[in-house]
């Protein structure tokens, strides 16, 4: 019966000192040239004291033209000595507490904001169906550009290794580029990269192969994958199970299960622009805290690599139940670590039985006007305001401050929006 504090040996030989992992969370602390900064060092120094077994960075982009927000770090190839020094300072601060530290490597695809790129690349020219005009008209990648993306993932991962990360996580979830390729709703291609599931999964599998070749057998490679997109015509749970079967042969060390995308933000437990499909197990899942645990249980029957499940875990009881059921080997945690960077340690040493859960109170108006409100203005302010709240706490820690738990959602909504606009302007001035 594995407990939270039991180490886990991965296929590459690395050992996670315990089963608690900090899930990837975009930091927004890159400079206008998308380089790592002293603010990353300050933030990860806080988390490093938090007793976690694994820390995944927020997404590090393989292409500066395809960021998920202006403050992302991008690693496009060989680094200058200054860039490498900044990356090494970041990894050594993060590793100071004994955690394995992996870089999440990503390409934002059509979810690149317009302020970064008005015509982002995607499998096909299918625009995000979101109100607000924040995202541009995507254009379909050519075959050569797809090959370039595979090479970029490999180059970025090789630099990550040189910088001191002990692994990478290939982001193939949440509606970013690799997840778009998996979705028949976004991938309408008729060449070898689209159509059948085998073709739609080709980019992910080719990427893993290239990353392994560039980094070596003792380097950890993880994949973050949607259990489903929860959208009509999207990547289904049945397809996910088939992809997991192919991943068994791809030599990865940890598969992280999540779900959803910007149109259907299930990763945060929120409702999207349309009714979610594939909610067969919803009733039983709702009874527990983790959003994707029933999907993970089905995946664990197919998967031969260790699993991590992220989304909603808050109590020791819920985490231990998930570990002992065999549905997962590692517990991913996100939002609690934005308000309390030491929450994992408190749980591991028995000081507390539950992580802080901010999402219940982070809203303007009464409960029914929360992030799942039928009124779109409230839904938007609550959804983006809460996301902004978490992001602003990371920025505060990057500035050497404590999280400000009294910040309101409305304040967060305004401050986050103006901060992102200023970062986009600084980035375009730097270009
Ligand atoms: C501020 C913030 C930033 C995030 N950034 C990323 C990211 O860069 N990459 C990613 O895969 N997921 C990202 N996520 C999603 C988390 O990894 C996680 O899947 C989600 O927060 C659900 O876990 P939780 O319920 O423990 O918060 C982010 C979440 C938050 C709150």
């Amino acid at each position: 019966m594995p407990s939270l504090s039991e180490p886990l040996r991965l296929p590459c030989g690395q050992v996670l000192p315990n089963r608690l992992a900090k899930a990837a969370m975009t930091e927004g602390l890159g400079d206008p040239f998308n380089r790592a900064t002293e603010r990353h060092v300050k933030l990860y120094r806080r988390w490093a004291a938090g007793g976690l077994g694994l820390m995944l960075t927020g997404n590090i982009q393989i292409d500066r033209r395809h960021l998920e927000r202006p403050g992302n770090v991008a690693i496009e190839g060989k680094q200058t000595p200054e860039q490498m020094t900044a990356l090494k300072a970041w990894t050594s601060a993060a590793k100071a507490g004994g955690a394995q530290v992996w870089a999440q490597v990503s390409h934002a695809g059509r979810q690149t904001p317009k302020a970064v790129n008005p015509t982002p690349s995607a499998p096909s020219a299918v625009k995000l169906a979101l109100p607000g005009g924040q995202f541009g008209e995507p254009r379909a990648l050519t075959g050569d550009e797809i090959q370039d993306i595979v090479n970029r993932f490999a180059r970025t991962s090789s630099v990550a290794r040189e910088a001191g990360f002990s692994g990478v996580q290939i982001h193939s979830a949440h509606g970013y580029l690799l997840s778009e390729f998996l979705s028949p709703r976004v991938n309408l291609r008729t060449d070898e990269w689209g159509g059948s599931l085998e073709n739609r999964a080709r980019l992910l599998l080719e990427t893993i192969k290239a990353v392994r070749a560039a980094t070596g057998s003792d380097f950890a490679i993880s994949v973050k994958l949607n259990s489903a997109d929860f959208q009509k015509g999207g990547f289904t749970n049945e397809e996910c199970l088939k992809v997991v079967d192919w991943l068994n042969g791809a030599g990865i060390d940890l598969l992280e299960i999540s779900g959803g995308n910007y149109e259907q933000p299930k990763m945060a437990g929120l409702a999207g622009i349309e009714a979610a499909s594939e909610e067969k197990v919803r009733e039983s899942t709702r009874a527990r805290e983790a959003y994707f645990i029933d999907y993970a249980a089905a995946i664990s029957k197919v998967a031969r690599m260790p699993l991590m499940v992220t989304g909603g875990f808050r109590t020791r009881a819920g985490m231990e139940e998930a570990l002992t059921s065999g549905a997962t080997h590692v517990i991913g945690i996100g939002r609690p670590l934005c308000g309390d960077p030491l929450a994992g340690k408190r749980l591991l040493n028995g000081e507390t039985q539950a992580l802080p859960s901010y999402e219940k109170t982070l809203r303007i108006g009464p409960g029914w006007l929360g992030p799942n409100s039928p009124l779109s203005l409230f839904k938007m302010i609550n959804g983006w305001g809460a996301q902004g709240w978490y992001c602003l706490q990371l920025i505060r820690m990057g500035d050497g401050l404590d999280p400000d738990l009294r910040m309101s959602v409305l304040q967060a909504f305004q401050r986050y929006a103006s901060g992102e606009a200023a970062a986009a302007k600084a980035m375009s001035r730097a270009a």
Side-chain angles (χ1 to χ4, degrees):
M1 239 197 241
S3 80
L4 274 177
S5 41
E6 189 173 309
L8 177 70
R9 179 174 290 276
L10 301 175
C12 66
Q14 270 177 36
V15 177
L16 307 185
N18 62 57
R19 306 304 179 95
L20 276 188
K22 183 194 87 65
M25 288 191 282
T26 174
E27 300 92 3
L29 298 174
D31 72 9
F33 296 95
N34 305 106
R35 297 175 298 201
T37 65
E38 180 58 26
R39 298 165 94 196
H40 290 96
V41 174
K42 286 208 178 113
L43 171 60
Y44 278 78
R45 199 176 279 145
R46 300 279 299 249
W47 276 330
L52 302 153
L54 170 66
M55 290 205 273
L56 290 148
T57 67
N59 48 49
I60 291 181
Q61 305 296 351
I62 61 162
D63 182 341
R64 245 192 114 203
R65 296 163 299 181
H66 293 94
L67 309 175
E68 150 277 331
R69 60 193 277 222
N72 283 164
V73 169
I75 299 180
E76 292 193 291
K78 192 163 166 48
Q79 303 289 283
T80 63
E82 294 75 29
Q83 281 173 308
M84 191 46 88
T85 302
L87 288 172
K88 284 186 172 165
W90 179 7
T91 58
S92 67
K95 290 191 292 193
Q100 296 287 348
V101 180
W102 300 350
Q104 185 184 60
V105 290
S106 184
H107 180 300
R110 68 176 187 154
Q111 292 185 166
T112 302
K114 208 189 234 173
V116 171
N117 186 342
T119 48
S121 307
S124 307
V126 180
K127 197 175 177 215
L128 272 168
L130 285 178
Q134 278 191 67
F135 300 94
E137 289 285 346
R139 73 171 182 84
L141 286 157
T142 65
D144 285 349
E145 287 171 328
I146 295 175
Q147 193 51 56
D148 178 56
I149 283 167
V150 173
N151 298 340
R152 280 173 176 267
F153 270 107
R155 269 205 307 275
T156 302
S157 303
S158 158
V159 171
R161 178 175 184 142
E162 194 188 335
F165 290 105
S166 54
V168 288
Q169 178 176 72
I170 297 167
H171 199 345
S172 187
H174 300 175
Y176 297 114
L177 187 77
L178 296 183
S179 150
E180 288 162 17
F181 265 85
L182 289 170
S183 162
R185 180 171 155 140
V186 190
N187 181 350
L188 309 179
R189 302 180 73 92
T190 52
D191 59 7
E192 71 269 36
W193 305 102
S196 66
L197 179 62
E198 195 181 358
N199 282 354
R200 283 181 276 127
R202 192 181 305 283
L203 181 55
L204 171 60
L205 293 167
E206 290 292 315
T207 298
I208 297 168
K209 216 189 289 172
V211 169
R212 179 60 79 199
T215 56
S217 60
D218 57 347
F219 191 69
I221 299 181
S222 167
V223 168
K224 187 164 185 170
L225 186 70
N226 277 354
S227 47
D229 290 348
F230 301 96
Q231 288 185 296
K232 282 189 196 70
F235 181 62
T236 64
N237 184 236
E238 204 185 325
E239 291 181 321
C240 168
L241 294 173
K242 187 72 207 150
V243 171
V244 172
D245 189 28
W246 292 331
L247 291 175
N248 282 331
I252 65 168
D253 296 286
L254 185 72
L255 176 64
E256 181 182 352
I257 304 301
S258 186
N261 52 39
Y262 284 14
E263 291 172 343
Q264 192 68 276
K266 286 281 160 191
M267 62 292 224
L270 300 179
I273 52 171
E274 59 182 284
S277 61
E278 297 218 43
E279 299 259 10
K280 299 185 284 289
V281 291
R282 189 148 137 227
E283 288 308 317
S284 60
T285 303
R286 197 185 287 150
R288 299 183 220 163
E289 58 192 37
Y291 312 144
F292 305 111
I293 197 67
D294 285 344
Y295 294 94
I299 290 168
S300 71
K301 306 240 167 11
V302 179
R304 294 203 298 271
M305 73 293 278
L307 295 178
M308 162 168 163
V309 180
T310 303
F313 278 112
R314 298 294 177 265
T315 66
R316 173 196 295 282
M319 296 176 198
E320 285 181 344
E321 187 193 322
L323 290 174
T324 48
S325 74
T328 190
H329 303 86
V330 178
I331 305 290
I333 309 164
R335 290 165 287 184
L337 299 173
C338 300
D340 180 0
L342 304 180
K345 185 171 165 179
R346 296 188 213 290
L347 197 74
L348 287 167
N349 69 16
E351 190 185 317
T352 173
Q353 296 302 311
L355 302 172
S357 180
Y358 307 109
E359 50 278 14
K360 288 190 192 120
T361 50
L362 276 182
R363 60 165 177 258
I364 51 167
W368 65 277
L369 283 181
N372 289 330
S373 162
L375 300 181
S376 58
L377 181 66
F378 280 90
K379 186 169 168 167
M380 200 252 303
I381 294 180
N382 278 314
W384 280 107
Q387 184 62 18
W389 191 92
Y390 294 110
C391 288
L392 289 168
Q393 307 298 0
L394 304 194
I395 291 174
R396 285 181 65 82
M397 289 192 273
D399 287 335
L401 302 169
D402 287 330
D404 174 10
L405 303 184
R406 289 161 316 166
M407 192 191 306
S408 77
V409 168
L410 197 56
Q411 277 171 333
F413 180 78
Q414 291 160 337
R415 284 186 207 163
Y416 183 64
S418 63
E420 291 301 289
K425 248 192 215 142
M427 198 188 143
S428 62
R429 273 198 305 269

